[in-house]
Amino acid sequence: MPKVIYITASGEKHEVEAEVGQSIMQTAIFNNIAGIEAECGGSCSCATCHVYVADADQALFDAPDAMEDELLEGVACERKSSSRLSCQLVLTDQHTTITVAIPEAQY
């Protein structure tokens, strides 16, 4: 079972177990992790689930598609090379522990 470590903007860490097939966004919502708003419910249309994926974990996911890349242009906090929409990061049985940092704001 994959684990996701969420690091809040204040540095607080939350480690939760995830289900294979869930996105990092869904896992956050199901575990009441603050800071991931997910206003569109995971349909890749709002960018309020923006996270920064740890350097060591970036290669474990496919690169953003054109739609995600376009939405990342309008995120509320700085877009970095590690920026992703957590609704697009689906966990598989190949993932063990994934670390993401939540930006200071989603709006």
Side-chain angles (χ1 to χ4, degrees), residues 19-40:
E19 298 289 329
V20 169
Q22 284 182 347
S23 68
I24 288 178
M25 179 215 75
Q26 290 170 314
T27 303
I29 299 302
F30 296 156
N31 288 279
N32 298 313
I33 304 296
I36 294 181
E37 301 302 326
E39 208 168 270
C40 72

Side-chain angles (χ1 to χ4, degrees), residues 1-7 14-24 27-28 31 33 53-54 57 60-61 89-100:
M1 182 174 279
K3 291 183 182 177
V4 182
I5 299 171
Y6 298 91
I7 303 172
H14 302 276
E15 183 174 327
V16 298
E17 289 190 0
E19 298 289 329
V20 169
Q22 284 182 347
S23 68
I24 288 178
T27 303
N31 288 279
I33 304 296
V53 178
D57 297 330
L60 300 174
F61 296 98
L89 303 174
V90 178
L91 298 162
T92 70
D93 56 2
Q94 301 300 310
H95 296 116
T96 54
T97 302
I98 303 295
T99 302
V100 297

